[in-house]
Amino acid sequence: MYACGEAVFSVFCPLGTGSGLGTFVLNVLEDEFPEVYRIVTSVYPSAEDDVITSPYNSVLAMRELTEHADCVLPIENQSLVDIVNKIKHMSHSGKLGAEIKQSSTIISGQGGVKGQEKPFDAMNNIVANMLLNLTSSARFEGSLNMDLNEITMNLVPFPNLHYLVSSLSPLYTLADVNVPSRRLDQMFSDAFSKDHQLIHSDPKHSLYLACALIVRGDVQVSDLRRNIERLKPSLPFVSWNQEGWKTGLCSVPPVGHSHSLLALANNTCVKPTFIELKDRFMKLYKKRAHLHHYLHVDGMEQSCFSEAFSSLSSLIEEYNQLDATKGLLMTDAQRLNIAV
């Protein structure tokens, strides 16, 4: 957890082991600093997770994230694995450029090589790259810098629907790999492809509520507008927010690249992730399996599980209501029933 200079709390909260502590910190921040936005980066365990009770932990945490976070950036472990494997495959085939070091190691902040790469370093580096792009405007100058406050203000039209799908272009993991950047227009196209999403999703086949593009490097506003106009026909937006774009330009690119792009999409494509989590939860809960491990803890009751399940079901239903409007051209779209 860290506080950005823009009066925003950024919290890293895994949805497996450690989710209880992460959501506790989130609640404390809301109580002590209710006016400060809370942006949470949350890693979702894969279906092959070796912690059998992870569906319980995840659904219990989901309720807290839905009720107490202002914005959540979900990331799936399996998506990180797939991205790392894709990068390794491309490096071995030579598609990323001739300067890739096959036996590369993670470098320290001083730029020197420090130790051998650990099993999860590459996955963690993907998440770190996302956070570095997200906070670039708070650290560097730019012609169109975007405050983190503006992400929540512009991308979250309804209180509960604050889960933003993130994607990166270009994809890279090791800090000492000098990977030539993709052609500028191709970089924008890649950011909307399913292979670059940090959760398993295909946003182009789902409904956009809003989208933010955070670009780093020598990119002009005209480049941004041209690519948005080029991509808009293929991106289905809700009828009442066809111009729901937020853009940011930071003049300092990542090390070893001429430019990069982080896309944040409020998109109904997160719904399958939530449905899968709900199904995994029910496989255990309908048998009341492993509940006794939780119920002996002070303050934990079985009603906590049923309420968390109900919260997740309600969230999924809100996304269903939006999906039902896809393709409909309405001058006054039916409003969701949002509890105040």
Side-chain angles (χ1 to χ4, degrees), residues 58-329:
S58 298
V59 172
L60 289 170
M62 275 286 295
R63 180 190 179 189
E64 302 299 316
L65 294 180
T66 300
E67 295 181 359
H68 302 291
D70 293 299
C71 185
V72 180
L73 308 179
I75 299 170
E76 287 183 343
N77 265 331
Q78 189 57 51
S79 293
L80 296 178
V81 171
D82 293 345
I83 287 174
V84 170
N85 288 337
K86 175 185 176 181
I87 293 172
K88 289 181 178 179
H89 173 74
M90 293 177 71
S91 67
H92 292 153
S93 63
K95 292 182 179 179
L96 287 179
E99 304 216 19
I100 291 178
K101 303 172 185 177
Q102 302 293 342
S103 58
S104 187
T105 53
I106 297 294
I107 66 171
S108 68
Q110 288 71 36
V113 175
K114 184 179 180 180
Q116 293 298 313
E117 182 181 357
K118 298 176 182 177
F120 299 106
D121 277 345
M123 295 169 62
N124 290 336
N125 203 239
I126 294 285
V127 180
N129 290 338
M130 186 273 287
L131 293 173
L132 288 172
N133 280 274
L134 179 68
T135 60
S136 59
S137 291
R139 296 179 290 113
F140 303 113
E141 294 182 352
S143 59
L144 192 63
N145 270 348
M146 182 194 303
D147 290 346
L148 293 182
N149 291 318
E150 296 182 75
I151 293 174
T152 298
M153 185 66 67
N154 290 272
L155 267 61
V156 182
F158 304 112
N160 290 341
L161 306 185
H162 54 235
Y163 292 86
L164 308 182
V165 179
S166 53
S167 60
L168 287 168
S169 181
L171 291 173
Y172 60 96
T173 57
L174 301 181
D176 60 338
V177 174
N178 187 14
V179 181
S181 295
R182 303 298 299 270
R183 185 167 51 87
L184 185 62
D185 288 4
Q186 184 62 47
M187 180 181 74
F188 281 87
S189 298
D190 287 345
F192 292 92
S193 71
K194 62 182 181 179
D195 292 337
H196 285 246
Q197 310 302 314
L198 299 192
I199 69 169
H200 271 141
S201 65
D202 191 355
K204 280 187 163 184
H205 292 86
S206 299
L207 193 62
Y208 282 86
L209 281 74
C211 184
L213 302 177
I214 302 175
V215 185
R216 297 180 62 182
D218 186 16
V219 181
Q220 305 302 317
V221 174
S222 58
D223 296 321
L224 265 173
R225 297 191 185 282
R226 184 186 76 254
N227 277 282
I228 289 175
E229 292 301 319
R230 178 176 64 86
L231 292 166
K232 275 174 65 174
S234 64
L235 304 176
F237 271 70
V238 289
S239 59
W240 40 265
N241 197 27
Q242 292 288 313
E243 302 299 324
W245 295 86
K246 181 65 180 174
T247 55
L249 286 176
C250 173
S251 58
V252 180
V255 175
H257 297 267
S258 61
H259 45 257
S260 70
L261 170 63
L262 168 65
L264 300 174
N266 194 335
N267 190 296
T268 60
C269 66
V270 298
K271 185 177 68 173
T273 296
F274 299 156
I275 292 175
E276 180 186 3
L277 183 57
K278 175 184 173 182
D279 292 342
R280 291 174 58 208
F281 174 91
M282 280 307 298
K283 286 181 180 179
L284 292 177
Y285 188 64
K286 67 182 179 182
K287 299 294 185 182
R288 303 300 189 265
H290 299 284
L291 275 184
H292 62 285
H293 297 303
Y294 295 83
L295 298 181
H296 76 273
V297 177
D298 290 340
M300 181 65 73
E301 301 176 354
Q302 190 167 322
S303 61
C304 296
F305 290 82
S306 58
E307 291 169 2
F309 177 79
S310 177
S311 174
L312 180 57
S313 298
S314 297
L315 180 65
I316 293 171
E317 181 55 31
E318 289 192 50
Y319 282 109
N320 283 334
Q321 291 181 43
L322 281 171
D323 272 335
T325 68
K326 184 180 179 183
L328 300 179
L329 296 177

